[in-house]
Amino acid sequence: MPELPEVETTRRGIAPHLIGRRVTGVTLRRTDLRWPIPPQITELLPGQRIDAVERRAKYLLLHTAAGSALLHLGMTGVLRVLPPDALVGKHDHVDIALEATATEAPRVLRFTDARRFGCLLWQPPGATHELLAALGPEPLTDDFDGDLLWRLSRGRRAAVKLFLMDNAIVVGVGNIYASEALFAAGIDPRKPAGDVSRARYARLAAEVKRILAWAIERGGTTLRDFIKPDGAPGYFFRELQAYGREGEPCLACGTPIRQVVLGQRSTFWCPKCQR
């Protein structure tokens, strides 16, 4: 599943082609993805100018005066900005047509999703969609730090990795980056969240920020279906320290990396470096 850096990479890739442009039409080749596509997408979005492209957690919002189109890439979703006559593939479910500008011909924002676990929904002006209402802070903002993690973890017996992946605590720290941040911070992912000290949470928060920022700059982590909007793969996957390296020597101490399943997700850690 695309994680926060991949979604942010997508936002940065499509935003320059969308902001300030008017939507001239919407083509739905099916009426549902993970959920039914609401009628506002075809009734209210055409004719509107896209004023901003925002990311909230792993959601993308195309803001207009009439409301916002809310997109999630799911497991296999991809957004691309293409010529209107670009060949339509089997899994190309939505085209949002964009007017021409002084410097660019007409374009379409095409949503491709083979497994259809993504979504295209609508958020009215001044409202917060129910999918966004209970989300925690963004990890790359000042609202997220070690003190927040320490305070919210008191009394919790769940594994610290699952705690870190809880979107009510902090958004967008998915499986790959949680494993990498815990490795960098030297924390055993199986450790109860309530047993981690304030000082260690300070380091963990700092590593989350560092790793996510670095991954965004490197273009996200390419796994299976996800590629950047310009068609080039991300490169951060070549630099993973723990994730996906079961049995391989730890890059810090040489101890074989171990794997365990936590919350139905594969977790990788070094038994010597992470305590």
Side-chain angles (χ1 to χ4, degrees):
M1 179 179 293
E3 297 199 25
L4 185 151
E6 286 82 9
V7 180
E8 178 61 20
T9 298
T10 297
R11 188 197 69 79
R12 294 184 182 189
I14 66 175
H17 302 282
L18 272 60
I19 295 174
R21 297 181 80 157
R22 198 167 299 277
V23 176
T24 58
V26 177
T27 300
L28 302 181
R29 297 187 182 89
R30 60 177 305 121
T31 59
D32 66 329
L33 293 169
R34 183 173 182 180
W35 298 293
I37 298 173
Q40 293 93 328
I41 295 296
T42 53
E43 295 172 2
L44 298 182
L45 189 56
Q48 296 297 314
R49 185 184 67 237
I50 298 175
D51 297 319
V53 180
E54 179 190 7
R55 179 192 55 75
R56 179 70 172 112
K58 297 180 186 179
Y59 294 91
L60 292 170
L61 295 106
L62 312 183
H63 293 302
T64 77
S68 304
L70 175 69
L71 298 115
H72 193 288
L73 299 177
M75 294 183 68
T76 58
V78 177
L79 288 169
R80 285 186 174 82
V81 179
L82 301 171
D85 59 353
L87 184 67
V88 176
K90 177 181 178 181
H91 303 297
D92 295 338
H93 303 309
V94 180
D95 279 358
I96 299 175
L98 305 165
E99 67 178 358
T101 69
T103 59
E104 194 170 13
R107 292 286 186 264
V108 296
L109 177 67
R110 179 163 292 171
F111 188 15
T112 304
D113 188 3
R115 295 192 181 183
R116 301 200 309 273
F117 288 158
C119 70
L120 175 57
L121 302 171
W122 186 256
Q123 177 177 277
T128 299
H129 195 280
E130 61 180 342
L131 291 174
L132 309 181
L135 294 178
E138 290 285 334
L140 296 177
T141 65
D142 291 340
D143 292 332
F144 172 69
D145 59 18
D147 286 342
L148 174 77
L149 291 177
W150 182 81
R151 186 173 68 253
L152 296 180
S153 67
R154 296 307 87 191
R156 298 208 182 202
R157 304 309 300 168
V160 63
K161 179 170 179 270
L162 300 182
F163 170 74
L164 186 61
M165 292 175 61
D166 185 343
N167 280 325
I169 304 299
V170 58
V171 300
V173 185
N175 193 37
I176 297 171
Y177 298 105
S179 288
E180 291 297 297
L182 286 161
F183 175 83
I187 299 172
D188 187 327
R190 304 167 301 168
K191 191 179 185 71
D195 291 350
V196 178
S197 70
R198 195 172 200 148
R200 301 192 82 193
Y201 271 128
R203 182 177 177 187
L204 178 58
E207 293 295 349
V208 167
K209 290 174 181 284
R210 180 186 66 81
I211 289 170
L212 288 178
W214 180 242
I216 289 168
E217 291 305 315
R218 297 290 280 171
T221 305
T222 298
L223 292 177
R224 301 196 330 184
D225 303 288
F226 189 84
I227 56 177
K228 290 171 60 179
D230 63 3
Y235 297 103
F236 187 75
F237 76 102
R238 299 179 183 175
E239 301 164 35
L240 294 174
Q241 305 293 297
Y243 186 87
R245 300 190 65 245
E246 180 187 14
E248 297 180 28
C250 171
L251 298 177
C253 72
T255 302
I257 296 291
R258 292 185 184 176
Q259 178 182 359
V260 69
V261 175
L262 294 175
Q264 300 181 324
R265 307 299 296 276
S266 293
T267 299
F268 302 86
W269 87 102
C270 172
K272 183 175 180 180
C273 294
Q274 294 174 253
R275 301 292 183 182

